[in-house]
Amino acid sequence: MLNNPILVLGSKPESILPRVKFQKIYAANGAAELSNFYKKTNTNLKLICVAGTKSIDNLDEVRSRIINSNPDKLIVRFNESKYSKELQDKCIIETINYNDQWNFQKKFFYNPNFSLLIGEFSYKENLKKKIKKLIKFFLKKKFQGVSTGFFAILLALDENPESEIVVSGIGMSGGGHFYKDSRDQGFNYDSRAAVDRYLISKLKNEYKLRIFSVDEDFVRVSKTRLFNNNLKV
């Protein structure tokens, strides 16, 4: 039996949900909608949503799912959302700028500055774009690092040091969403997934040992452990 488990949700198609009564869920972007499966039987469930500014501001299908899930807290990566005032009426809003979210990630990886820099250059693009990204990094310090799903895992690890983390719906092999997303056409998710695949290999063992997943592909890539008590939805 896991110790005070925390669930982290992503929006990988054909998600598998663990059959556990979680007290807290972290949901990346539109995966917030999946928390409703647990809220039906647990009215005390605490939901923390995590999303990038562009996803909230530009994607109705993400923003509406976050709002309709009635989160207790929304953590916005990069910049303040133009919908902050509207969302503040519904939950606590916390914005983490580029520099702070980059420094936050560094605590989790071996050789953090080197690992995060190499990880960002694992993003699949041509050499010219990589050079421009390097210049932008040193001038403006605007590197993303891990995906929002992976970032939600890091938050769960950090904020719940005595808990084990169960991951559902977060893949590191690209792919779309279980809901229709306007980015799904013409957007290569494997590019950011390549960054995640590199950085999960550099995750400190003290954190990796606390991660379980319902997804065999995630387990294979991350070298974490499989969680079997699941419900396919």
Side-chain angles (χ1 to χ4, degrees):
M1 181 174 292
L2 300 185
N3 181 40
N4 190 27
I6 304 296
L7 178 62
V8 179
L9 290 171
S11 53
K12 183 178 178 179
E14 298 184 355
S15 298
I16 295 176
L17 298 180
R19 294 177 183 268
V20 175
K21 186 177 180 179
F22 296 99
Q23 297 303 316
K24 187 187 291 188
I25 292 177
Y26 291 76
N29 295 315
E33 181 178 75
L34 295 176
S35 67
N36 293 329
F37 286 96
Y38 296 94
K39 287 186 174 183
K40 291 176 183 177
T41 56
N42 184 3
T43 57
N44 295 319
L45 178 68
K46 184 176 182 180
L47 175 62
I48 297 95
C49 293
V50 187
T53 312
K54 289 183 179 179
S55 293
I56 295 173
D57 288 357
N58 300 330
L59 299 173
D60 291 340
E61 57 268 37
V62 171
R63 185 173 61 258
S64 63
R65 281 172 168 79
I66 291 174
I67 293 172
N68 293 335
S69 69
N70 295 312
D72 297 277
K73 186 175 184 179
L74 170 62
I75 297 174
V76 182
R77 297 178 73 188
F78 312 126
N79 299 302
E80 184 176 355
S81 167
K82 65 184 180 182
Y83 292 95
S84 288
K85 290 184 179 179
E86 173 187 341
L87 294 168
Q88 280 174 348
D89 294 333
K90 299 180 179 296
C91 65
I92 298 170
I93 307 292
E94 178 182 334
T95 301
I96 304 178
N97 63 32
Y98 274 97
N99 187 59
D100 288 344
Q101 66 97 32
W102 180 263
N103 287 330
F104 170 75
Q105 293 180 58
K106 293 198 304 189
K107 73 173 74 175
F108 297 95
F109 302 104
Y110 294 110
N111 302 313
N113 288 314
F114 179 78
S115 293
L116 282 165
L117 190 61
I118 296 301
E120 191 65 22
F121 278 87
S122 299
Y123 192 92
K124 293 185 177 181
E125 56 191 357
N126 61 45
L127 181 59
K128 184 177 179 180
K129 288 184 178 179
K130 288 180 185 289
I131 292 173
K132 286 183 177 179
K133 182 176 285 188
L134 180 63
I135 294 171
K136 184 178 180 180
F137 171 72
F138 286 110
L139 290 177
K140 298 184 178 180
K141 304 294 184 183
K142 284 191 173 182
F143 268 10
Q144 175 175 331
V146 298
S147 68
T148 297
F150 197 168
F151 194 80
I153 295 173
L154 299 183
L155 281 169
L157 287 165
D158 186 64
E159 295 181 355
N160 307 278
E162 303 301 321
S163 295
E164 289 167 308
I165 310 304
V166 180
V167 179
S168 170
I170 294 177
M172 294 192 170
S173 302
H177 303 87
F178 69 82
Y179 57 90
K180 182 180 179 181
D181 188 325
S182 55
R183 295 176 299 180
D184 286 345
Q185 293 185 345
F187 188 89
N188 182 10
Y189 290 98
D190 191 52
S191 295
R192 182 55 55 184
V195 178
D196 285 355
R197 288 195 296 273
Y198 174 80
L199 286 173
I200 195 70
S201 71
K202 304 301 178 183
L203 186 67
K204 293 178 180 178
N205 285 337
E206 64 191 88
Y207 297 112
K208 188 174 290 190
L209 289 172
R210 292 169 51 206
I211 299 174
F212 294 77
S213 177
V214 301
D215 190 320
E216 292 183 0
D217 287 339
F218 180 98
V219 169
R220 176 180 52 79
V221 171
S222 65
K223 303 297 189 293
T224 54
R225 287 176 282 179
L226 187 67
F227 187 82
N228 287 311
N229 189 17
N230 308 320
L231 171 67
K232 189 171 182 179
V233 298

mmCIF file of all heavy atoms in Angstrom, residues 144-178:
data_model
loop_
_atom_site.group_PDB
_atom_site.id
_atom_site.type_symbol
_atom_site.label_atom_id
_atom_site.label_comp_id
_atom_site.label_asym_id
_atom_site.label_seq_id
_atom_site.Cartn_x
_atom_site.Cartn_y
_atom_site.Cartn_z
ATOM 1 N N GLN A 144 11.969 26.859 -20.925
ATOM 2 C CA GLN A 144 10.834 26.199 -20.284
ATOM 3 C C GLN A 144 11.254 25.051 -19.389
ATOM 4 O O GLN A 144 10.718 24.863 -18.301
ATOM 5 C CB GLN A 144 9.863 25.682 -21.345
ATOM 6 C CG GLN A 144 8.709 24.880 -20.755
ATOM 7 C CD GLN A 144 7.684 24.481 -21.794
ATOM 8 O OE1 GLN A 144 7.496 25.178 -22.797
ATOM 9 N NE2 GLN A 144 7.012 23.361 -21.589
ATOM 10 N N GLY A 145 12.194 24.229 -19.867
ATOM 11 C CA GLY A 145 12.516 23.015 -19.124
ATOM 12 C C GLY A 145 11.473 21.955 -19.381
ATOM 13 O O GLY A 145 11.087 21.706 -20.524
ATOM 14 N N VAL A 146 10.987 21.328 -18.331
ATOM 15 C CA VAL A 146 10.053 20.203 -18.475
ATOM 16 C C VAL A 146 8.683 20.666 -18.967
ATOM 17 O O VAL A 146 8.329 21.844 -18.862
ATOM 18 C CB VAL A 146 9.889 19.455 -17.136
ATOM 19 C CG1 VAL A 146 11.216 18.873 -16.684
ATOM 20 C CG2 VAL A 146 9.315 20.370 -16.055
ATOM 21 N N SER A 147 7.911 19.715 -19.474
ATOM 22 C CA SER A 147 6.540 19.987 -19.894
ATOM 23 C C SER A 147 5.682 20.317 -18.680
ATOM 24 O O SER A 147 6.086 20.100 -17.524
ATOM 25 C CB SER A 147 5.965 18.763 -20.604
ATOM 26 O OG SER A 147 5.797 17.701 -19.672
ATOM 27 N N THR A 148 4.477 20.794 -18.921
ATOM 28 C CA THR A 148 3.582 21.119 -17.807
ATOM 29 C C THR A 148 3.199 19.869 -17.026
ATOM 30 O O THR A 148 3.064 19.909 -15.801
ATOM 31 C CB THR A 148 2.330 21.834 -18.336
ATOM 32 O OG1 THR A 148 2.725 23.075 -18.924
ATOM 33 C CG2 THR A 148 1.348 22.130 -17.207
ATOM 34 N N GLY A 149 3.034 18.736 -17.700
ATOM 35 C CA GLY A 149 2.729 17.495 -16.994
ATOM 36 C C GLY A 149 3.849 17.090 -16.049
ATOM 37 O O GLY A 149 3.608 16.737 -14.885
ATOM 38 N N PHE A 150 5.078 17.134 -16.538
ATOM 39 C CA PHE A 150 6.246 16.801 -15.725
ATOM 40 C C PHE A 150 6.400 17.831 -14.602
ATOM 41 O O PHE A 150 6.738 17.492 -13.474
ATOM 42 C CB PHE A 150 7.490 16.774 -16.615
ATOM 43 C CG PHE A 150 8.677 16.060 -16.028
ATOM 44 C CD1 PHE A 150 9.774 15.745 -16.836
ATOM 45 C CD2 PHE A 150 8.735 15.695 -14.688
ATOM 46 C CE1 PHE A 150 10.885 15.098 -16.322
ATOM 47 C CE2 PHE A 150 9.846 15.039 -14.166
ATOM 48 C CZ PHE A 150 10.923 14.746 -14.978
ATOM 49 N N PHE A 151 6.113 19.095 -14.894
ATOM 50 C CA PHE A 151 6.194 20.138 -13.882
ATOM 51 C C PHE A 151 5.203 19.860 -12.751
ATOM 52 O O PHE A 151 5.504 20.076 -11.569
ATOM 53 C CB PHE A 151 5.908 21.500 -14.511
ATOM 54 C CG PHE A 151 6.276 22.673 -13.642
ATOM 55 C CD1 PHE A 151 7.593 23.107 -13.563
ATOM 56 C CD2 PHE A 151 5.311 23.355 -12.923
ATOM 57 C CE1 PHE A 151 7.948 24.192 -12.767
ATOM 58 C CE2 PHE A 151 5.648 24.442 -12.121
ATOM 59 C CZ PHE A 151 6.974 24.862 -12.041
ATOM 60 N N ALA A 152 4.017 19.364 -13.099
ATOM 61 C CA ALA A 152 3.025 19.016 -12.080
ATOM 62 C C ALA A 152 3.535 17.890 -11.181
ATOM 63 O O ALA A 152 3.277 17.883 -9.967
ATOM 64 C CB ALA A 152 1.710 18.614 -12.748
ATOM 65 N N ILE A 153 4.259 16.939 -11.762
ATOM 66 C CA ILE A 153 4.860 15.873 -10.959
ATOM 67 C C ILE A 153 5.869 16.456 -9.973
ATOM 68 O O ILE A 153 5.889 16.087 -8.792
ATOM 69 C CB ILE A 153 5.547 14.833 -11.867
ATOM 70 C CG1 ILE A 153 4.528 14.109 -12.741
ATOM 71 C CG2 ILE A 153 6.330 13.817 -11.028
ATOM 72 C CD1 ILE A 153 5.135 13.179 -13.779
ATOM 73 N N LEU A 154 6.709 17.376 -10.449
ATOM 74 C CA LEU A 154 7.706 17.997 -9.573
ATOM 75 C C LEU A 154 7.044 18.769 -8.437
ATOM 76 O O LEU A 154 7.498 18.720 -7.285
ATOM 77 C CB LEU A 154 8.622 18.919 -10.387
ATOM 78 C CG LEU A 154 9.431 18.263 -11.506
ATOM 79 C CD1 LEU A 154 10.353 19.299 -12.168
ATOM 80 C CD2 LEU A 154 10.233 17.076 -11.003
ATOM 81 N N LEU A 155 5.973 19.481 -8.747
ATOM 82 C CA LEU A 155 5.239 20.208 -7.706
ATOM 83 C C LEU A 155 4.685 19.246 -6.652
ATOM 84 O O LEU A 155 4.768 19.512 -5.447
ATOM 85 C CB LEU A 155 4.091 21.002 -8.328
ATOM 86 C CG LEU A 155 4.446 22.321 -8.997
ATOM 87 C CD1 LEU A 155 3.247 22.848 -9.783
ATOM 88 C CD2 LEU A 155 4.881 23.361 -7.974
ATOM 89 N N ALA A 156 4.114 18.143 -7.120
ATOM 90 C CA ALA A 156 3.553 17.166 -6.191
ATOM 91 C C ALA A 156 4.640 16.580 -5.295
ATOM 92 O O ALA A 156 4.435 16.401 -4.086
ATOM 93 C CB ALA A 156 2.848 16.055 -6.973
ATOM 94 N N LEU A 157 5.794 16.294 -5.860
ATOM 95 C CA LEU A 157 6.915 15.772 -5.079
ATOM 96 C C LEU A 157 7.370 16.779 -4.033
ATOM 97 O O LEU A 157 7.629 16.433 -2.878
ATOM 98 C CB LEU A 157 8.083 15.442 -6.010
ATOM 99 C CG LEU A 157 7.946 14.202 -6.892
ATOM 100 C CD1 LEU A 157 9.005 14.222 -7.989
ATOM 101 C CD2 LEU A 157 8.074 12.924 -6.063
ATOM 102 N N ASP A 158 7.455 18.032 -4.440
ATOM 103 C CA ASP A 158 7.982 19.080 -3.564
ATOM 104 C C ASP A 158 7.021 19.435 -2.437
ATOM 105 O O ASP A 158 7.438 19.621 -1.287
ATOM 106 C CB ASP A 158 8.283 20.325 -4.394
ATOM 107 C CG ASP A 158 8.961 21.414 -3.584
ATOM 108 O OD1 ASP A 158 10.090 21.186 -3.108
ATOM 109 O OD2 ASP A 158 8.353 22.488 -3.417
ATOM 110 N N GLU A 159 5.747 19.531 -2.747
ATOM 111 C CA GLU A 159 4.761 19.999 -1.773
ATOM 112 C C GLU A 159 4.238 18.891 -0.860
ATOM 113 O O GLU A 159 3.563 19.177 0.130
ATOM 114 C CB GLU A 159 3.589 20.662 -2.504
ATOM 115 C CG GLU A 159 4.000 21.936 -3.237
ATOM 116 C CD GLU A 159 2.841 22.614 -3.955
ATOM 117 O OE1 GLU A 159 1.729 22.028 -3.961
ATOM 118 O OE2 GLU A 159 3.048 23.714 -4.488
ATOM 119 N N ASN A 160 4.580 17.653 -1.204
ATOM 120 C CA ASN A 160 4.095 16.510 -0.410
ATOM 121 C C ASN A 160 5.264 15.556 -0.136
ATOM 122 O O ASN A 160 5.288 14.422 -0.629
ATOM 123 C CB ASN A 160 2.974 15.787 -1.162
ATOM 124 C CG ASN A 160 1.862 16.725 -1.579
ATOM 125 O OD1 ASN A 160 0.979 17.044 -0.797
ATOM 126 N ND2 ASN A 160 1.911 17.202 -2.816
ATOM 127 N N PRO A 161 6.231 15.992 0.652
ATOM 128 C CA PRO A 161 7.467 15.218 0.829
ATOM 129 C C PRO A 161 7.282 13.863 1.497
ATOM 130 O O PRO A 161 8.154 12.995 1.370
ATOM 131 C CB PRO A 161 8.339 16.142 1.696
ATOM 132 C CG PRO A 161 7.376 17.045 2.387
ATOM 133 C CD PRO A 161 6.263 17.260 1.406
ATOM 134 N N GLU A 162 6.163 13.657 2.185
ATOM 135 C CA GLU A 162 5.926 12.391 2.854
ATOM 136 C C GLU A 162 5.029 11.463 2.039
ATOM 137 O O GLU A 162 4.640 10.394 2.520
ATOM 138 C CB GLU A 162 5.281 12.641 4.229
ATOM 139 C CG GLU A 162 6.087 13.536 5.139
ATOM 140 C CD GLU A 162 7.470 12.985 5.423
ATOM 141 O OE1 GLU A 162 7.597 11.764 5.599
ATOM 142 O OE2 GLU A 162 8.432 13.787 5.447
ATOM 143 N N SER A 163 4.691 11.882 0.820
ATOM 144 C CA SER A 163 3.753 11.111 -0.004
ATOM 145 C C SER A 163 4.438 10.460 -1.190
ATOM 146 O O SER A 163 5.487 10.926 -1.665
ATOM 147 C CB SER A 163 2.637 12.023 -0.527
ATOM 148 O OG SER A 163 1.848 12.524 0.523
ATOM 149 N N GLU A 164 3.807 9.398 -1.686
ATOM 150 C CA GLU A 164 4.217 8.800 -2.943
ATOM 151 C C GLU A 164 3.288 9.307 -4.036
ATOM 152 O O GLU A 164 2.113 9.580 -3.791
ATOM 153 C CB GLU A 164 4.195 7.284 -2.825
ATOM 154 C CG GLU A 164 5.327 6.799 -1.920
ATOM 155 C CD GLU A 164 5.184 5.350 -1.500
ATOM 156 O OE1 GLU A 164 4.102 4.998 -0.996
ATOM 157 O OE2 GLU A 164 6.140 4.599 -1.657
ATOM 158 N N ILE A 165 3.819 9.437 -5.244
ATOM 159 C CA ILE A 165 3.116 10.101 -6.340
ATOM 160 C C ILE A 165 2.698 9.082 -7.386
ATOM 161 O O ILE A 165 3.525 8.327 -7.900
ATOM 162 C CB ILE A 165 4.018 11.175 -6.978
ATOM 163 C CG1 ILE A 165 4.619 12.114 -5.912
ATOM 164 C CG2 ILE A 165 3.240 11.951 -8.032
ATOM 165 C CD1 ILE A 165 3.614 12.808 -5.024
ATOM 166 N N VAL A 166 1.408 9.067 -7.711
ATOM 167 C CA VAL A 166 0.878 8.197 -8.763
ATOM 168 C C VAL A 166 0.579 9.056 -9.989
ATOM 169 O O VAL A 166 -0.121 10.064 -9.889
ATOM 170 C CB VAL A 166 -0.399 7.470 -8.306
ATOM 171 C CG1 VAL A 166 -0.921 6.568 -9.418
ATOM 172 C CG2 VAL A 166 -0.129 6.657 -7.044
ATOM 173 N N VAL A 167 1.109 8.653 -11.121
ATOM 174 C CA VAL A 167 0.987 9.435 -12.359
ATOM 175 C C VAL A 167 0.053 8.729 -13.331
ATOM 176 O O VAL A 167 0.181 7.527 -13.576
ATOM 177 C CB VAL A 167 2.369 9.627 -13.010
ATOM 178 C CG1 VAL A 167 2.245 10.429 -14.309
ATOM 179 C CG2 VAL A 167 3.324 10.328 -12.040
ATOM 180 N N SER A 168 -0.888 9.488 -13.888
ATOM 181 C CA SER A 168 -1.823 8.950 -14.874
ATOM 182 C C SER A 168 -1.985 9.932 -16.028
ATOM 183 O O SER A 168 -2.197 11.119 -15.810
ATOM 184 C CB SER A 168 -3.193 8.693 -14.224
ATOM 185 O OG SER A 168 -4.167 8.390 -15.200
ATOM 186 N N GLY A 169 -1.878 9.432 -17.252
ATOM 187 C CA GLY A 169 -2.149 10.276 -18.415
ATOM 188 C C GLY A 169 -1.014 11.183 -18.822
ATOM 189 O O GLY A 169 -1.221 12.104 -19.608
ATOM 190 N N ILE A 170 0.177 10.951 -18.301
ATOM 191 C CA ILE A 170 1.342 11.740 -18.713
ATOM 192 C C ILE A 170 2.292 10.811 -19.447
ATOM 193 O O ILE A 170 2.834 9.868 -18.864
ATOM 194 C CB ILE A 170 2.045 12.392 -17.510
ATOM 195 C CG1 ILE A 170 1.119 13.421 -16.873
ATOM 196 C CG2 ILE A 170 3.359 13.051 -17.941
ATOM 197 C CD1 ILE A 170 1.666 14.078 -15.630
ATOM 198 N N GLY A 171 2.464 11.057 -20.743
ATOM 199 C CA GLY A 171 3.359 10.241 -21.536
ATOM 200 C C GLY A 171 4.628 11.009 -21.848
ATOM 201 O O GLY A 171 4.661 12.232 -21.791
ATOM 202 N N MET A 172 5.666 10.311 -22.172
ATOM 203 C CA MET A 172 6.917 10.959 -22.575
ATOM 204 C C MET A 172 7.298 10.522 -23.976
ATOM 205 O O MET A 172 8.463 10.482 -24.334
ATOM 206 C CB MET A 172 8.021 10.642 -21.563
ATOM 207 C CG MET A 172 7.740 11.260 -20.207
ATOM 208 S SD MET A 172 9.139 11.213 -19.094
ATOM 209 C CE MET A 172 8.524 12.279 -17.771
ATOM 210 N N SER A 173 6.264 10.203 -24.755
ATOM 211 C CA SER A 173 6.487 9.754 -26.124
ATOM 212 C C SER A 173 5.652 10.544 -27.128
ATOM 213 O O SER A 173 5.353 10.068 -28.217
ATOM 214 C CB SER A 173 6.155 8.256 -26.240
ATOM 215 O OG SER A 173 6.934 7.507 -25.342
ATOM 216 N N GLY A 174 5.238 11.735 -26.756
ATOM 217 C CA GLY A 174 4.429 12.545 -27.654
ATOM 218 C C GLY A 174 2.981 12.090 -27.655
ATOM 219 O O GLY A 174 2.538 11.332 -26.807
ATOM 220 N N GLY A 175 2.208 12.565 -28.638
ATOM 221 C CA GLY A 175 0.793 12.212 -28.726
ATOM 222 C C GLY A 175 -0.099 13.392 -28.404
ATOM 223 O O GLY A 175 0.367 14.439 -27.958
ATOM 224 N N GLY A 176 -1.413 13.229 -28.632
ATOM 225 C CA GLY A 176 -2.364 14.316 -28.430
ATOM 226 C C GLY A 176 -3.031 14.256 -27.073
ATOM 227 O O GLY A 176 -2.439 13.814 -26.092
ATOM 228 N N HIS A 177 -4.311 14.698 -27.031
ATOM 229 C CA HIS A 177 -5.072 14.771 -25.795
ATOM 230 C C HIS A 177 -6.346 13.946 -25.902
ATOM 231 O O HIS A 177 -6.821 13.664 -26.988
ATOM 232 C CB HIS A 177 -5.451 16.228 -25.496
ATOM 233 C CG HIS A 177 -4.277 17.145 -25.404
ATOM 234 N ND1 HIS A 177 -3.736 17.763 -26.510
ATOM 235 C CD2 HIS A 177 -3.536 17.549 -24.340
ATOM 236 C CE1 HIS A 177 -2.703 18.514 -26.124
ATOM 237 N NE2 HIS A 177 -2.565 18.397 -24.822
ATOM 238 N N PHE A 178 -6.913 13.568 -24.734
ATOM 239 C CA PHE A 178 -8.183 12.836 -24.765
ATOM 240 C C PHE A 178 -9.320 13.753 -25.180
ATOM 241 O O PHE A 178 -10.378 13.296 -25.605
ATOM 242 C CB PHE A 178 -8.480 12.185 -23.403
ATOM 243 C CG PHE A 178 -8.794 13.159 -22.290
ATOM 244 C CD1 PHE A 178 -10.069 13.684 -22.158
ATOM 245 C CD2 PHE A 178 -7.822 13.532 -21.382
ATOM 246 C CE1 PHE A 178 -10.369 14.572 -21.135
ATOM 247 C CE2 PHE A 178 -8.116 14.411 -20.354
ATOM 248 C CZ PHE A 178 -9.381 14.944 -20.232
#
